[in-house]
Amino acid sequence: MDKILLGHGSGGRLMHDLIRDLFLKYLDNPVLRKMGDSAKIGQVKEKIAFTTDSFVVKPLFFPGGDIGKLAVCGTVNDLLVSGFKPVCLSCAMIIEEGFSLKELEKITRSIARAGREAGVNIVTGDLKVVERSSCDGLFINTSGIGRQTAKVNLDIKMIRPGDQIIITGTIGEHGIAVLSKRKELGFNFEVKSDCAALSDLLIPILKEDCGVKFMRDPTRGGLATSLNEIAEGSNFGIRLDEEDIPVSANVRAACLALGFDPLYIACEGRAVIFAESKKADKILRRLKKHPQAKGAAIIGEVVKENKAKVCLKTKSGGLRFVDMLAADILPRIC
Amino acid sequence: MDKILLGHGSGGRLMHDLIRDLFLKYLDNPVLRKMGDSAKIGQVKEKIAFTTDSFVVKPLFFPGGDIGKLAVCGTVNDLLVSGFKPVCLSCAMIIEEGFSLKELEKITRSIARAGREAGVNIVTGDLKVVERSSCDGLFINTSGIGRQTAKVNLDIKMIRPGDQIIITGTIGEHGIAVLSKRKELGFNFEVKSDCAALSDLLIPILKEDCGVKFMRDPTRGGLATSLNEIAEGSNFGIRLDEEDIPVSANVRAACLALGFDPLYIACEGRAVIFAESKKADKILRRLKKHPQAKGAAIIGEVVKENKAKVCLKTKSGGLRFVDMLAADILPRIC
């Protein structure tokens, strides 16, 4: 048997065997192993946070990752940028009848590896199988619980004019990596997704009162959309300097060829950090010591003017407003 | 605009508007309203539990409920039968391009109503849109956090020979209700799904040390599969008395006509309770006072013989082993 059957989603013997032989094999831990209706986590002393994300990325495998790695990193990062350290994750799969068991195993291994790297276990799961053509291969939902690790409460309402805006690395790699795999674009270079869990990079910073006020991971809609959300939520303006925004040569070339603006292309391993003006340089130096944030940069600041808007000083010296992504340029990027 | 567009899943303006005008309109609460990367829940003093379920039921609307109600009740019940009271839920949707906004609104209202009835808020969510024919209308994942409310720790390892097995009502309504809607079966009667959150019924019982040792909700695979899991997990035998298992006349008639055994048909509003022998009658009397459990009955007991197996005393006086569901008789029942 090398394909997923409808019966694998029945709740019966076939499903139990698949769970034991595949999911428990790679994702085993004492809580998951109990296979109860709920996973008993025990007591968490700190405040907790909760997040969920479904992943429908197409194709399932792309340079730098796959849907399994993405599903773990995406949810881990949503907790981290909120100031919470992941306690545990859930993983629910919807699989199309006929899906390759070998690919499912590859993806499950990838989930296990990403979990180990991020320091978090999958403690509960679910599996549904739908008939052929009722879903496109495999969709994964991960939800996660985090415990507060930030010394201060990260809150959009803490943002003030003068705060510096840091990005932890070059933008747009994830979107371009997925896209390049989807179509025959004929580039003579490969862009790897930045997909990564930011636990190692962010937890040490969160544990101190180092001047971080707010963070977000610029995924769907890219940096421009995240910053617009923050400008609206804080009701201050944001001024960016195009020259300071790190974009790799390959992403820049791909965007030029495709007519995209890298500001709108999804990242899956970056955080945008709002920090007290005086402490921003120190945070930046610290970030740059970590391999995940060698390309980190201060890209702009919070201003009183142009409330709720994002304004970009272009390389040519002009100023233009950068709006939120209107609709979709890259569906199924995550 | 009366249809879901790919752009609704972009993370951009179109998605923000949909979230505000539809999801926040019906599901609004102070935590969800913040729309952060994670929902900040605060401190939970009790031990917590975590569970996840994806729902792919077909059709989306069926007698007695719809995918929205099902998604809330399913996750709430998974927490309750583990001895935990729901603290909050997440809700992640994968929607097919072209899906009716009117139906989405109906389902969202249904989620809101089910949440209110179960006493739990949706605090975080996610929305993905995939191209036409990449998913079958709408899939919903709900995950949930619960706080321990059971006075004693419910554990499969507490089960002992002599323990009585209670079902809180008639079995198989959900499966038959969904199936009857799926095909033109020509029945001259309607079976309504038993889909319901069991908060009201179970929380008062959990709060006392009333002799409950373990619970499960017999969903996919039905009562037979749940009991087989419990027999295997406890390593004792289970003896059922067919005469005592409550099955409505309509479910019985439908099963006869279709060649199904009601023991394998999913319930979505029932719990199977393992209780200390001496206290079982008292629990049963108490359950029967609640409108959701008028049909509750003691259906069997835990025995030393036939370890890890379920044995049924048939109405004709014979004995037969009841195995776990092998594969699937009713795909996409939840």
Side-chain angles (χ1 to χ4, degrees):
Chain A
M1 191 162 50
D2 57 351
K3 302 267 183 217
I4 286 287
L5 310 174
L6 271 181
H8 281 119
S10 66
R13 183 64 67 195
L14 207 55
M15 184 166 110
H16 278 77
D17 291 350
L18 181 69
I19 288 173
R20 187 193 56 214
D21 298 340
L22 179 61
F23 297 113
L24 272 183
K25 179 177 169 191
Y26 291 108
L27 305 174
D28 188 38
N29 63 70
V31 183
L32 184 65
R33 202 180 305 146
K34 290 213 164 183
M35 304 289 300
D37 283 306
S38 307
K40 296 180 181 177
I41 308 301
Q43 224 155 357
V44 178
K45 280 179 198 153
E46 301 89 347
K47 289 180 183 174
I48 62 171
F50 188 28
T51 191
T52 191
D53 249 323
S54 290
F55 296 84
V56 298
V57 65
K58 182 182 179 173
L60 298 174
F61 300 88
F62 48 83
D66 59 34
I67 189 172
K69 181 181 180 188
L70 188 61
V72 170
C73 296
T75 290
V76 162
N77 291 346
D78 275 343
L79 292 170
L80 288 168
V81 296
S82 305
F84 291 74
K85 182 177 165 176
V87 172
C88 57
L89 298 187
S90 66
C91 177
M93 294 187 178
I94 300 172
I95 312 182
E96 185 181 7
E97 178 188 9
F99 192 78
S100 147
L101 268 172
K102 210 169 157 183
E103 290 204 349
L104 186 61
E105 183 168 13
K106 212 170 147 189
I107 289 163
T108 307
R109 271 204 311 263
S110 177
I111 291 173
R113 190 178 322 115
R116 270 194 308 276
E117 283 170 19
V120 67
N121 280 330
I122 308 288
V123 296
T124 185
D126 180 52
L127 174 66
K128 293 288 185 315
V129 180
V130 295
E131 317 87 312
R132 248 169 246 272
S133 344
S134 291
C135 94
D136 192 3
L138 170 67
F139 300 148
I140 300 183
N141 176 282
T142 51
S143 302
I145 300 177
R147 61 176 86 214
Q148 186 160 1
T149 185
K151 192 123 180 181
V152 293
N153 194 21
L154 302 186
D155 194 321
I156 204 165
K157 297 292 174 205
M158 301 298 293
I159 293 174
R160 293 285 176 277
D163 287 350
Q164 300 293 295
I165 304 167
I166 304 169
I167 181 89
T168 63
T170 48
I171 60 169
E173 266 96 347
H174 177 72
I176 297 298
V178 171
L179 194 72
S180 69
K181 188 75 193 189
R182 207 182 291 171
K183 294 179 184 168
E184 278 309 324
L185 296 176
F187 296 148
N188 56 358
F189 51 80
E190 190 189 66
V191 174
K192 263 198 180 171
S193 169
D194 56 302
C195 177
L198 298 173
S199 318
D200 250 22
L201 179 68
L202 296 182
I203 290 173
I205 290 175
L206 289 170
K207 280 186 174 164
E208 292 172 30
D209 178 10
C210 61
V212 173
K213 293 179 161 192
F214 190 69
M215 294 202 265
R216 182 150 282 182
D217 54 336
T219 58
R220 269 186 295 178
L223 184 62
T225 299
S226 290
L227 291 178
N228 266 283
E229 288 167 354
I230 299 171
E232 289 181 12
S234 68
N235 208 27
F236 290 115
I238 286 177
R239 203 183 57 212
L240 296 178
D241 203 324
E242 192 175 18
E243 212 153 37
D244 297 331
I245 298 173
V247 185
S248 75
N250 285 347
V251 167
R252 201 179 293 282
C255 281
L256 253 172
L258 298 166
F260 289 150
D261 182 341
L263 284 173
Y264 292 97
I265 310 291
C267 310
E268 287 289 345
R270 305 295 180 216
V272 54
I273 300 175
F274 283 67
E276 257 176 70
S277 170
K278 281 181 194 165
K279 298 180 177 167
D281 279 325
K282 198 174 160 191
I283 295 172
L284 183 66
R285 280 197 302 276
R286 188 162 174 175
L287 285 169
K288 285 168 90 74
K289 282 183 195 158
H290 195 283
Q292 281 179 335
K294 278 185 187 157
I298 293 176
I299 57 171
E301 69 172 28
V302 179
V303 293
K304 275 188 200 152
E305 309 83 62
N306 301 318
K307 278 193 195 310
K309 289 193 183 304
V310 178
C311 183
L312 181 80
K313 190 181 147 210
T314 63
K315 282 178 188 169
S316 55
L319 278 177
R320 68 171 173 96
F321 285 113
V322 174
D323 203 358
M324 192 177 278
L325 181 64
D328 216 344
I329 49 172
L330 290 174
R332 300 186 55 188
I333 214 65
C334 62
Chain B
M1 191 162 53
D2 57 353
K3 302 268 183 216
I4 286 287
L5 309 174
L6 270 181
H8 280 119
S10 65
R13 184 64 67 194
L14 208 54
M15 185 166 109
H16 278 76
D17 291 350
L18 181 68
I19 288 173
R20 188 193 56 213
D21 298 341
L22 179 61
F23 297 114
L24 272 184
K25 178 176 168 191
Y26 291 108
L27 306 175
D28 189 40
N29 62 71
V31 183
L32 183 64
R33 203 180 304 146
K34 291 213 165 182
M35 302 293 298
D37 283 307
S38 306
K40 297 181 180 176
I41 309 301
Q43 223 154 359
V44 178
K45 280 178 199 154
E46 301 89 347
K47 289 181 183 172
I48 62 172
F50 188 27
T51 191
T52 190
D53 249 322
S54 289
F55 296 85
V56 297
V57 65
K58 182 182 180 174
L60 298 174
F61 299 89
F62 48 81
D66 59 35
I67 190 173
K69 179 180 180 184
L70 188 62
V72 171
C73 296
T75 290
V76 163
N77 291 346
D78 276 344
L79 292 170
L80 288 168
V81 296
S82 304
F84 290 73
K85 184 177 165 174
V87 172
C88 57
L89 298 186
S90 66
C91 177
M93 293 187 179
I94 300 173
I95 312 183
E96 186 181 6
E97 179 189 8
F99 191 79
S100 149
L101 269 173
K102 209 167 155 184
E103 289 203 349
L104 186 60
E105 183 169 12
K106 211 170 148 189
I107 289 163
T108 307
R109 272 205 310 264
S110 175
I111 291 172
R113 191 180 320 119
R116 270 195 308 277
E117 283 172 12
V120 66
N121 279 331
I122 308 289
V123 296
T124 186
D126 180 51
L127 175 66
K128 295 288 188 309
V129 180
V130 295
E131 317 88 312
R132 249 169 246 272
S133 346
S134 291
C135 93
D136 192 3
L138 170 67
F139 300 148
I140 300 183
N141 176 282
T142 51
S143 301
I145 302 178
R147 63 175 87 215
Q148 185 160 2
T149 184
K151 192 122 181 182
V152 294
N153 192 21
L154 302 187
D155 194 320
I156 204 164
K157 297 293 175 203
M158 300 297 293
I159 292 173
R160 291 289 175 277
D163 286 349
Q164 301 292 295
I165 304 166
I166 303 170
I167 181 86
T168 63
T170 48
I171 60 170
E173 267 95 349
H174 177 71
I176 295 298
V178 171
L179 194 73
S180 71
K181 187 77 192 192
R182 205 182 294 170
K183 294 181 183 163
E184 279 307 325
L185 295 176
F187 296 149
N188 55 357
F189 52 79
E190 190 189 66
V191 173
K192 265 197 179 170
S193 168
D194 55 301
C195 176
L198 297 173
S199 317
D200 249 24
L201 179 68
L202 296 182
I203 291 173
I205 291 175
L206 289 169
K207 281 185 173 165
E208 293 172 31
D209 178 11
C210 62
V212 172
K213 293 181 161 189
F214 190 70
M215 293 202 266
R216 181 147 282 181
D217 55 337
T219 58
R220 268 187 295 179
L223 183 63
T225 300
S226 290
L227 291 178
N228 267 282
E229 289 167 355
I230 299 170
E232 287 180 13
S234 68
N235 207 26
F236 290 115
I238 285 178
R239 202 182 58 213
L240 297 179
D241 202 323
E242 192 176 17
E243 211 153 37
D244 295 331
I245 299 172
V247 185
S248 76
N250 286 347
V251 167
R252 199 177 292 281
C255 282
L256 253 172
L258 298 165
F260 289 151
D261 182 341
L263 283 172
Y264 292 96
I265 309 291
C267 311
E268 287 289 345
R270 306 294 180 216
V272 54
I273 301 174
F274 283 68
E276 256 175 70
S277 169
K278 280 181 194 164
K279 295 180 178 168
D281 279 325
K282 198 175 160 192
I283 295 172
L284 182 66
R285 280 198 303 275
R286 190 163 172 177
L287 285 168
K288 285 170 90 74
K289 283 184 194 158
H290 194 284
Q292 280 179 336
K294 277 184 186 157
I298 293 176
I299 57 171
E301 69 173 28
V302 179
V303 293
K304 275 187 202 153
E305 309 84 61
N306 301 318
K307 277 193 198 308
K309 289 193 184 302
V310 178
C311 183
L312 181 79
K313 190 181 148 209
T314 63
K315 281 180 189 169
S316 55
L319 278 177
R320 69 172 172 94
F321 285 113
V322 175
D323 202 358
M324 192 177 278
L325 182 64
D328 217 344
I329 49 171
L330 290 175
R332 298 184 60 187
I333 214 66
C334 62

